[in-house]
Amino acid sequence: MWEQLALFIIRFRLSLVAILAAITVFMAYKAKDVEMTYDFAQVVSEKDPDMLYFRQFKRTFGEDGNVLVVGLQDSSIYKLGNFNEFRQLTDTLAKIEGVNGVLSVSKLLNITKDTANNSFKAAPIFKNPPRSQKELDSLMRVVNRVEFYKGQLISPNTGATLLALTMDSKYLNSSKRQAVMNKILGFSGQFEKKTGIKLHYAGLPYVRSTMTSKVAGEMKFFTILAMIVTGITLLAFFRTWSAVVFPLIVVGITVVWCIGSIVLLGFKINLLTGLIPSIIIVIGIPNCTYLLSRYHYDYRKSGNQMLAMTRVMRKIGLVTLMNNTTTAVGFIVFAFTDIAILYQFGLVATINIFAAFIISFILIPAAFTYLPPPTAKQLEHLDAAPLTKLLEFFDHLVLDRRGTVYIAALVLVAGAAIGISRIESVSYMVDDLPKKSSVNSDLTFFESHFNGVMPLEFEVDTHKKRGLLKLKNLEKIDQFEKYLRTQPELSPPVSLVTFLKATTQAFYNGDPKFFRLPDNSEKNFILSALANSKGNATGAGMNSKLLRSFADSTGQKARISLKIADIGSQNLDTLMNTKIIPEMNRIFKGTGMDIRPTGTTIIFTKGNEYVIHTLRDSLFMAFGLVGLVVLLLFRSFKTVLFALIPNAVTLILTAGIMGYFNIALKPSTALIFVIALGIDGDNSIHLLAKFRQEMVLNGNRVREAVSVTLSEAGTSMIYTSIVLFVGFSIFAFSEFGGTKALGMLMSASLLITNFSNLILLPSLLVTFEHGKGGDMDTNALIRHYDESYHEEDDDIDLNLKNMQKAAEYEGDYTI
């Protein structure tokens, strides 16, 4: 089959290249519509009960993660000129399309009692810009008496204040998001220049905008850097520009297909899919390396370009396809999860890994059968002395020092076990960014002054219509809120109870000591006054809007909303399970009410745990699929064990490195093991395929077969490892912690796999493979594979006349 396929590609190479070009143009056209996203909720299954509950919560009460906050701590803000600039900034931001509302000190409402109409009314504290410092100071005293705003807009301890913008979710989830953010930051920057007051930014809209911008920037940066680095590596190997340019064209086309496929599948680029273009470059280059190194080897033997290239496609086509399949296993297992971000990553990567294989197997033969044949200087890499000496050293260890190899492996695994015991499973909502980034420094500002800005929600269900009007129910909610206020990680809660406390304070003419729930004697009058407030335009707007945000239309369910510091998944889990939830259950026990935590922060924590468990299952699935690929190729369960043991050692040692370097286990680092298994499995298949062939050619003499295998297959394996090592090393320059860890750990894995597959695996073969029944199973798919290609007279099978006919046919065809 591979002979016919090789002849077909050579014969119709121009037509096939034209088809590739047409597809690439189409993919490039689609790629222009690609969009970015950064959604925390993508890490949890849509079918998960907590996710279903969260979506229902948002339908009832609205979004919890659409508030962007701008904070400052500077006493000069209360100087007349600066304050009026701040007021103007607030008014300007409120007019930006995509901003639904703005709340700041300059736009605060004050609730007052209207005795004549037995109602409450709300009016702006700052009806007009203050015209003197004295007037400003007087109005600020009014602001400071309103308990409702303390800890929300003004820090009672430090005097810091913030401006809160409610963003339109339609803009947050579309390509217009960045334009809105740029306008907000632009106007805020003008304010900073005029006043000299430093502003800080936080909130999920800001985090998402910053992250998506950085993802877009890094995707471009790493794609270009991967091209440059792999190009330099190829030039160092092959000493010819043609061996650099055409492989880069191959991976460049694949990148275009990759981005186009993201659009065609209806996905957006996120933190994971943004890595795929550069990963595809790194993974795609070895296909070209295999083809070119084998082409050079066979050309030196045959002296005929057509024959050499056809031999290459025939002899290593299947194994290269299986290598790509094994690599794809590390990604395709993600496509079986119901986590959106992993599913998209796995599906897009898998499709484009095979696309890279197809493109390379068309374009490289087409180009290099047209180009002049390689010169003697360009073939010198086949006899590189340092590489030959290294492989001779490996051969010495395998044949003469296997005991040392096994002891070293056991010591390394034992040491890795100690490192693994030190691994912690923890992640932060913004921990992919460096500690010195503006996002983290601004987050620290809000945590120190307002106890954080990450949303945390609770829903209280009384199970009865108008159940929220019962004072005993409100008192239980108030009791729970008082407990929440004692937790230093949390901001003061806001709820229907907080609103009723504010109206009680207003009923007593704004006296702060009456910021409490109404008692039985006050309740009916205050609720009646609130009902009458619906007739007041100002009051109606305040009343209905607030009630919609914190109580459902039936008066059955209430929302308790607060903010939390980004304390990490581990600390959050401890806080919720050992403090908040036990106290919550104690307070509401026997009341007939149910209360449940929810919100983006809870979903994020759930997602962290969910993804890690899913990746653990995916790793076992990947082991199974790699084993299945090996079984299909070799039809031998013993060979499956030979393949999996070295790769298990590689993963154990990589995990040990994580522990020793304090790299936490989180979604962005857990997926490394699945990817590494797929990539490392390539080397095992490559070496085992060559070994099985040499067993046949050497009369089942294991030691001779291993020696030849190391000297011939080892060269391309080391070449590939170097390309992959250099390629993945570039991710160490990422600003994202997870991407940086990917680069470091994948590079470490690729170094370790040389020990596992070029020393440990051959040692196992010498020890446990005795050559019994050594002839390969005639049904094994791998039986035609021959890395070094010993059959000098295979021209009978790959007739040189056929090659000539293919070339002549193509010449007629092109005319």
Side-chain angles (χ1 to χ4, degrees), residues 12 88 174 247 251-252 255 263 270 289 319 342 377 381 397 478 493 551 561 586 614 618 664 712 724 770:
F12 297 105
Q88 184 177 348
S174 73
V251 293
V255 168
V263 177
N270 54 47
T289 306
V319 172
L342 288 181
K377 185 177 181 180
H381 69 91
L397 291 177
D478 185 35
S561 183
R586 186 191 67 80
T614 299
S618 297
E712 296 181 358
L724 290 171
H770 302 297

Side-chain angles (χ1 to χ4, degrees), residues 12 28 30 146 164 209 331 387 527 542 553 593 612 744 766 782:
F12 297 105
K30 300 302 294 184
V146 182
S209 174
F331 296 91
L387 191 58
L527 291 178
M542 172 198 69
S553 58
M593 293 189 290
I612 290 175
M744 294 172 57
V766 173
I782 206 70

Side-chain angles (χ1 to χ4, degrees), residues 543-618:
N543 187 15
S544 60
K545 208 169 192 182
L546 240 148
L547 286 177
R548 279 201 306 272
S549 298
F550 293 100
D552 71 344
S553 58
T554 66
Q556 175 181 319
K557 297 179 180 180
R559 170 190 189 179
I560 303 173
S561 183
L562 59 157
K563 300 293 186 285
I564 183 171
D566 190 13
I567 57 178
S569 57
Q570 199 174 72
N571 290 332
L572 178 59
D573 188 62
T574 301
L575 175 65
M576 294 300 297
N577 292 322
T578 65
K579 294 183 179 181
I580 293 178
I581 292 179
E583 185 66 15
M584 179 182 77
N585 293 336
R586 186 191 67 80
I587 291 172
F588 287 93
K589 184 178 181 180
T591 62
M593 293 189 290
D594 289 329
I595 180 170
R596 183 171 176 176
T598 187
T600 300
T601 303
I602 295 294
I603 292 299
F604 170 77
T605 307
K606 174 72 177 280
N608 179 68
E609 180 182 329
Y610 198 93
V611 170
I612 290 175
H613 288 166
T614 299
L615 289 171
R616 179 197 60 195
D617 297 338
S618 297

Side-chain angles (χ1 to χ4, degrees), residues 73-188:
Q73 185 194 24
D74 194 324
S75 59
S76 68
I77 189 65
Y78 301 113
K79 300 295 183 183
L80 183 63
N82 288 342
F83 185 85
N84 283 330
E85 288 289 346
F86 187 64
R87 176 188 174 96
Q88 184 177 348
L89 172 65
T90 302
D91 294 339
T92 302
L93 296 180
K95 296 175 183 176
I96 295 177
E97 187 177 0
V99 176
N100 284 345
V102 179
L103 186 62
S104 77
V105 172
S106 66
K107 293 181 74 70
L108 294 182
L109 298 175
N110 190 25
I111 306 173
T112 56
K113 180 174 61 174
D114 184 352
T115 306
N117 296 308
N118 188 28
S119 65
F120 292 100
K121 61 181 180 181
I125 296 175
F126 296 89
K127 296 179 181 179
N128 299 300
R131 289 168 291 185
S132 67
Q133 186 66 45
K134 183 178 180 180
E135 181 184 357
L136 173 59
D137 293 342
S138 175
L139 292 171
M140 283 305 302
R141 283 192 289 272
V142 176
V143 171
N144 290 326
R145 282 174 56 86
V146 182
E147 293 290 323
F148 184 87
Y149 300 123
K150 289 185 179 178
Q152 303 295 339
L153 288 177
I154 302 172
S155 172
N157 299 320
T158 65
T161 186
L162 58 79
L163 183 155
L165 296 87
T166 304
M167 311 294 293
D168 188 334
S169 58
K170 293 179 182 177
Y171 284 80
L172 284 178
N173 300 320
S174 73
S175 57
K176 298 178 181 178
R177 174 190 55 248
Q178 197 57 48
V180 176
M181 290 300 305
N182 289 340
K183 288 181 180 179
I184 293 171
L185 296 176
F187 288 126
S188 299

